[in-house]
Structure formats: C-alpha cells, structure tokens
Amino acid sequence: TEEESTEPDHEQQFEQEALVGILVHQCLERYVQAADQKSYLSELSRLHGYWKLKLRHLNLSDGELEALVLSMEATVKRTVGNDKISWLFDSQLTDSQCELPLSRKHEGYLSNRVVDRTFLDSDGVRWVIDYKTGKPNVDEAEAEFIEKQKALHKDQLRDYKRLFEELESSEIRTALLFTSIPKLVELQVD
C-alpha cells in the first residue's frame, strides 16, 4: 500500500535527524573543550570523512551526503559564531560541562539524564541548556516551531532543573539552543 511505501522514508528521516543531532552535539562538545577554538573551527572539514562514515547507511546519494555534511559544518559554525550565543561555549565559565551524565532516584526508580551544556555564569546562575538540531518545516514559521519545541521539551528541562536543585542552591535557568536558527530560548519550568 501507499502507507507502507512512505514508512521507510519517515523512519530514515527520523534516523538521519537523530544521527545529525548526535554528531552536532559531539562537535559542540569538542569545540567547548578545544584548547584553540579558532583552530578547531578552521579544521572542521577534517570531520567530513567521519561524518560520512557514520551516515553512510542512510542510502543517500553522494550528492545528498555531501550536502548534509556541509550543512552540518555550516550549522556548527553559524551557532558558535553567533554573537548573541557564542558566550555559551566559553570553557572558562565556572563548572563548565558538556554532555554531563546525571542520575536521580525517585520513587524507587533510577532516572539517567545527559545535560548537553551547563555552567555557572558570572552572577553565579546555573544554566542548563539542551541543544536541539531540528529545524522548522518548509511551511512552518520560526515562532511556531519554537513554541512547539518548548511544549515538547518543557518536562525534560524541568527534570534537569530538579536534578540540579538536589545538588546545589544556585538560581537555575533553563533554555533550548536551536542550532538550525541559531537561537537560545529560555524556558520557565517551575
């Protein structure tokens, strides 16, 4: 049936988005940790072969694969180069962490989480940031996309905030970082 023929495309698209997200997260983590961030960015094209290797099973044409890899590189550079959000990637921020694993036992169940980016700013405020690599659909306004993502991920950020509340007494701010736009969007998750 027609439904069966479109299902693999949907699954492949989902898998592609997930893999791109993982690779972009890795790249942003390495950027924060780089001794020389400028050099790391200038040599980002060296990751193309690795990215293609990770994405090769998606049955993309050579041209599609090349376009995807170039898009990933552009996304990373655009995100870290954005003047409004570049400060997030400063490894000198207090308690600077990327891909921080945290666990919490609640009502007898162990919950494991990985926080994409966290640090204390110069005012002692804990930032808990979740990266989102998805992008608006062709016919979707940016504001509409952001509102949908906020609704989808509010509970996740609330969980992260509760984890940190158990660990420290700092004021905590939570946000989503949309790498495709790029834009930092703070959420109130009390």
Side-chain angles (χ1 to χ4, degrees):
T1 67
E2 188 174 315
E3 187 175 328
E4 289 173 1
S5 66
T6 59
E7 194 62 32
D9 291 341
H10 178 71
E11 286 177 24
Q12 182 172 330
Q13 183 64 32
F14 181 78
E15 184 178 4
Q16 177 178 316
E17 290 170 5
L19 282 170
V20 166
I22 289 167
L23 295 170
V24 168
H25 278 63
Q26 288 174 352
C27 195
L28 293 174
E29 177 182 15
R30 289 184 188 125
Y31 175 75
V32 169
Q33 297 168 346
D36 183 351
Q37 290 180 329
K38 201 173 200 174
S39 290
Y40 179 81
L41 278 185
S42 70
E43 297 174 358
L44 208 52
S45 62
R46 290 183 179 196
L47 290 175
H48 288 195
Y50 171 73
W51 289 344
K52 287 177 182 178
L53 187 65
K54 290 294 198 179
L55 298 165
R56 73 175 186 259
H57 69 282
L58 293 176
N59 299 322
L60 299 172
S61 71
D62 289 347
E64 290 170 326
L65 188 57
E66 185 66 26
L68 181 58
V69 164
L70 290 173
S71 171
M72 290 166 58
E73 179 180 356
T75 294
V76 169
K77 286 182 174 179
R78 194 172 48 248
T79 299
V80 301
N82 183 296
D83 291 338
K84 292 181 182 176
I85 58 178
S86 60
W87 64 277
L88 302 172
F89 304 102
D90 182 353
S91 65
Q92 300 306 307
L93 290 163
T94 302
D95 199 23
S96 174
Q97 299 284 329
C98 297
E99 304 300 321
L100 176 67
L102 293 174
S103 297
R104 176 180 183 224
K105 195 169 189 178
H106 181 69
E107 297 178 2
Y109 294 96
L110 186 62
S111 172
N112 297 310
R113 301 280 187 248
V114 177
V115 177
D116 294 337
R117 181 79 177 113
T118 187
F119 52 82
L120 293 169
D121 68 15
S122 59
D123 295 324
V125 174
R126 164 71 60 193
W127 282 85
V128 180
I129 300 168
D130 195 56
Y131 301 153
K132 296 298 171 203
T133 55
K135 51 184 141 189
N137 295 323
V138 175
D139 59 345
E140 185 176 33
E142 183 179 297
E144 180 184 356
F145 169 74
I146 289 171
E147 287 307 310
K148 283 182 187 176
Q149 294 299 309
K150 284 168 61 175
L152 277 172
H153 301 290
K154 190 171 189 171
D155 289 343
Q156 176 187 6
L157 286 173
R158 184 179 293 117
D159 285 349
Y160 291 172
K161 183 177 181 183
R162 287 182 181 150
L163 283 165
F164 278 100
E165 286 172 340
E166 292 175 9
L167 299 171
E168 61 190 31
S169 60
S170 304
E171 176 188 342
I172 301 169
R173 294 172 75 173
T174 58
L176 296 172
L177 174 60
F178 297 102
T179 62
S180 66
I181 299 176
K183 189 177 222 172
L184 183 70
V185 177
E186 192 171 352
L187 275 79
Q188 303 300 322
V189 293
D190 299 322

